[in-house]
Amino acid sequence: MSASVATVHAERRARVMAALPPRAVLLLAGGGEVTRNADVHYRYRAASDMVYLTGFTEPDAVLVLAPGRPAPFTLLVRPRDREREIWNGRRAGVEGARAQFGADAAHPIGDLASKLPELLDGADEVWVQLGADRKFDSRVLTAVADLRARERRGARAPRRFVDPRDLLHEQRLLKTGAELAILRRAAAITSEAHVAAMQSARPGVFEHQLEAEIEYVFRRRGAFGPGYNTIVGAGANATVLHYVDNSAALAAGDLVLVDAGAEVDYYTADVTRTFPCGGRFSPAQRRLYDLVLASQEEAIDGVRAGGTMDAIHDTVVRRLTAGLCELGLLSGDPVKLIEDGAFKRFYMHRTSHWLGMDVHDVGPYVLPGPGGGVMPAPRKLEPGMVLTIEPGLYIQPDDEAAPAEYRGLGVRIEDDVVVTTGAPEVLTAACPKHPAELERLTTP
Ligand SMILES: [Mn+2]
C-alpha cells in the first residue's frame, strides 16, 4: 500500500478515535470466506468498514481501536504460513499488518480468544455491531463473561455495548473528493458496459450474453466485477424486480431491462437502463418509458442540499400517478390514488438509496426526531452524499385490469447522483437514456 493511501486510512481511524470516549474499545470483524460447496469458497470480498478503516482486504481480520491505550490500533490477522500461501496466495501476516498497514500492534487471528479479554479489560464501553456476525458476537460475549468472572481478582469488565454504525457510517456517507473520483471511474466503466449491452441486443441473443458483454467490459477495464448481481430481463422478465436468472432469449419488440454496476477499488456504481430489442420502441413502450424518464429527470433535479429522499420520492410518485391516469392504467383522483397507495401496483419500490462502497450503502436514512420526539425525521441531503435515482413502472403480464398493450412491460431508469453545493452531479450522465439514442444504439 502506498504511503498516501495509508495516510487516508490513518486519518479515518483518527476521526473515529477522536469521537470515541477515552475508555472505549471498538471491535470490527472483517468477515471470512464463505463456503460455496465442499471446500470451494465464493470469491472473497472484505467487509467495507474494514477496508475503509485499514485498507486490509484479507479474510479473517479483526480490527481493534482503543484510543486510550498504548497501542490504539491493533490488527489480528492470518499469520504467514508458507504452505498455505503456496496454495491460496500471499498473506501480509502479523509483520505486514504493522509494517504495511501501520498497526501499532498485531497478533495472529488464532489468538483472538486469548487476546480479547486482555484488549477489553478496563474498557467502559465496547463498540461492536452485535447481530452481524454471530460467531464473532459469541467470542466477544465470552471475553466479557471471562472478565466478569475475574473481577474479584482485579479485572474490570465493560459496562456498556454501543452500536458503532452511526459513528462509522456518518463518515462513509459523506464522500471525499478522492472517493468521488473512484465513483466516477466506476460510473464511466459502467456506462461503457451498458452501451455494449445495448449494441448487442438483437432478437435471439440471450440475456446471459448481455450479462457477459457487461461483465467483460467491467473486468477488461479493471473493475473487481459487478458490485451486485447483474440483472438482464427481457420482455416480462423486466417486471421481476430482482431477476437474476438471465437465461431467456430476447425477442423482437421486447423491452430489455439491465441493472448492472461495476465495482472499482471497493466502490460500486448502480445503473439501470431499459431499451428496445430491435431498434424501435412500440408506441405503448415509448409512452411508459417517457413517463418514467420524465419522473427521473424531475427527481434528479431535486437532488439538492437541504432536500430529502422522501421529498424526491414524493415527486416521483406524483408524476407517475398523474401519468398512469393519463395512460389509463389508473383512474380516479390522483391525490386519493396517492393516499391509498394505488401506484404501488406498478411502482412498488423506493426511488433512492445511498451508494458507495456497498451498493445499498451505509448511513442513516432517518435521524432521531427533533426536540426529543420519538418519530424519526428524514435526513436532509448534504454535499458529498451519493444516492441513486431509480423510478420504474412494472405492469405484470397477468394484470388483466391493465390495457393489454402495457401488460408485461417493465421500465426502470437509474442514475447515480452526487449532492453538491449547487446543481446535482450525475456520475452516470455518459450512459445513454434518451429514446432516440437508445433506438440508434439498439438498431441492428
Ligand atoms: Mn439501485
Side-chain angles (χ1 to χ4, degrees), residues 259 270 353 359-360 388 390 414:
D259 187 344
D270 181 8
H353 55 79
V359 61
H360 294 161
T388 63
E390 50 177 311
E414 176 177 31

Side-chain angles (χ1 to χ4, degrees), residues 43-45 218-219 222-226 262-266:
R43 189 177 176 203
Y44 182 70
R45 195 268 193 194
F218 288 176
R219 290 297 285 156
F224 176 84
E263 181 176 300
V264 174
D265 292 348
Y266 288 86

